[in-house]
Amino acid sequence: MRRHLARFLTVPQWIVCAMVLVLLAGAGGVGPQAAHAEQPLRWAADASADVPYTFHDLNDQSRLTGFEYDLMQSLGEHIHTPLQFVQNDWDGLIPGLQRGLYEMVICGIEITPEHAEGIDFSAPYYVTSERIVVRRNGPALTGLDALNGHVVGTIKATQAERILANHPQVQVRTYDEETNVFMDLVNGRTDAVLIDGPIAQYYGATNPDLLVVGEPIGTVSYGIAFAKGKNAALREQVNTALEAMKKDGSLHRILARWNLWTPQTAAWAEDASAPEIEPTSWNDYVAALHGSSGWHAKVARYASFLPLLAKGAVLTLLVSLCAMVLAVGLGLTLALLRLYGPAPLATLSSLYVEIVRGTPLLIQILLIFYGLPQCGLNLTPFVAGVLALGLNYAAYEAENYRAGLQSVARGQMEAALALNMTHVQALRYVVVPQAFRLVMPVMTNDFISLLKDSSLVSVITLTELTQTYIRLSSTYFDYFGTGLMVGGAYLLLGLPFVRLARMAEKKLSQPHIRRR
């Protein structure tokens, strides 16, 4: 039987075709540094929740804005080179830089000795300080010493966190997103927030329930990040352009428009000029944030979300379908090898299942996307996401199919052999179809789980439904309404497949009747 098993284990042609389409979809991502001279310089940031650095305009979600975004546009003009924006999750910005997905990262990254060990920095492009934000009706905490004995929130891995670490009597809570920091402060889960000046101004000063208090604390310098030991010529070119922007007033005008030009910034830039520059960008942001209220405005806002949610839903569905195709084909192969294959292949199949099930899916996604390039294999985010999800769920599908195959009565195989079928024919025409019918409900559940787990691919720059939710909810501070819309989108995506699975299950359970 094992001699002929290879012929039976050939993946069906529809699975092969689907995988070819997946690979063709990602062919353009192999070798991201190819033809570099013909492409614009790429810079990355996390625009999903990064006010006022780089974010989506509240009045037009298709448009990027922010003081760092404006700075990069001016920088491109000074170096006479077009620049191209690349979206990436905050945690993936530096790994993507090291992988070569882009040449620069600008996202409020603080210039510190710890950061300088892993990346190279340009000269500073902005200098600010830490500020304390409290509730208007909360305790009066106007200095670091006043924070002792209180719960204080801040962003993880920042200078503010290091400052608070030197005050052991302060209970520190760290967060990934700025919106979560201030939501907890508003809801009374923390007593104060210590955070960079621009964030305090745009998240604290714009909230009627909060207040920025006390004097500026310390000094924080932001720099553009480059891959360690690479792009030295580009870094020098950027430094020259930044110096020119300070001298010709370009930097001053950008910061003034965003209401970020402070005495501390003026002293650092050695610019004592006081041109009449209206904070137009700041005013536009505040007006968009507070200018519309009521149910009519909310309904109009939610309606404007629909194209973004539709785009995220299409990507979520495409990733999930391709990954499930891979999971089904590979899972069936692993199950058959484990039950009927040669001992070495059966052992390898078991080992694969145990390793994949025993490690987190997020780690597998990051390993495939950021780790494989070190072995010379560069995959696009789409292909990496499909492979990670498909390879992960193949392990679970393999166990489902193994249970289904073992649940088929042994007499079925014996009866097929008695009808002069070979072992391969008995498996193909008798055992596997019955097992497939038994595991159909489990497969449906697995697809729904895979559909939801596809949210993890957002860490490798894919903007699917969950990433769209993070972006919209953090922009408008609306987690409830936006969350209901995204949850409904996931539900609508899954329900048709549940219905199709039930129809297929009902069809397979019907007795075979000769049609006359």
Side-chain angles (χ1 to χ4, degrees), residues 43-61:
W43 64 280
D46 181 6
S48 60
D50 204 25
V51 179
Y53 301 90
T54 298
F55 62 101
H56 292 267
D57 192 340
L58 273 64
N59 292 317
D60 183 2
Q61 284 290 319

Side-chain angles (χ1 to χ4, degrees), residues 34 36 50 120 164 193 217 224 264 277 282 307 322 342 345 360 412 435 455 476 500:
H36 171 72
D50 204 25
D120 290 331
L164 293 174
V193 165
I217 300 171
I224 301 175
Q264 184 181 21
I277 303 175
W282 159 262
C322 292
L345 293 181
Q412 297 292 313
S455 62
Y476 296 96
L500 289 174

Side-chain angles (χ1 to χ4, degrees), residues 225-306:
F226 299 84
K228 190 70 174 178
K230 300 179 181 178
N231 292 327
L234 176 60
R235 185 156 55 96
E236 185 61 31
Q237 190 179 12
V238 168
N239 287 339
T240 302
L242 290 175
E243 185 65 26
M245 292 170 62
K246 288 168 60 177
K247 291 181 178 179
D248 64 18
S250 301
L251 187 61
H252 189 158
R253 290 190 292 272
I254 292 172
L255 296 175
R257 286 201 306 269
W258 288 95
N259 202 22
L260 295 175
W261 186 261
T262 64
Q264 184 181 21
T265 307
W268 157 75
E270 299 179 349
D271 185 352
S273 63
E276 294 294 332
I277 303 175
E278 289 293 325
T280 53
S281 298
W282 159 262
N283 293 336
D284 292 343
Y285 174 79
V286 174
L289 191 63
H290 300 295
S292 58
S293 60
W295 286 105
H296 292 289
K298 281 194 173 183
V299 170
R301 177 186 298 171
Y302 292 150
S304 69
F305 293 170
L306 293 178

Side-chain angles (χ1 to χ4, degrees), residues 64-113:
L64 287 174
T65 186
F67 88 91
E68 287 185 344
Y69 183 82
D70 290 349
L71 185 148
M72 292 305 290
Q73 305 312 304
S74 180
L75 180 68
E77 295 174 359
H78 279 76
I79 63 177
H80 308 291
T81 304
L83 301 181
Q84 177 185 343
F85 171 75
V86 179
Q87 164 65 28
N88 201 349
D89 185 76
W90 168 260
D91 291 330
L93 284 174
I94 300 306
L97 180 68
Q98 295 168 339
R99 179 185 165 178
L101 296 179
Y102 31 79
E103 287 72 47
M104 299 176 283
V105 170
I106 177 170
C107 199
I109 301 178
E110 301 171 354
I111 301 177
T112 65

Side-chain angles (χ1 to χ4, degrees), residues 6 46 79 109 131 140 174 287 292 322 341 355 382 442 453:
D46 181 6
I79 63 177
I109 301 178
R131 300 301 303 270
T174 59
S292 58
C322 292
I355 291 176
F382 179 82
V442 182
D453 281 347

Side-chain angles (χ1 to χ4, degrees), residues 322-350:
C322 292
M324 196 63 188
V325 168
L326 175 60
V328 169
L330 181 58
L332 179 59
T333 302
L334 291 170
L336 291 170
L337 284 174
R338 192 167 182 178
L339 290 175
Y340 307 109
L345 293 181
T347 302
L348 288 176
S349 176
S350 301

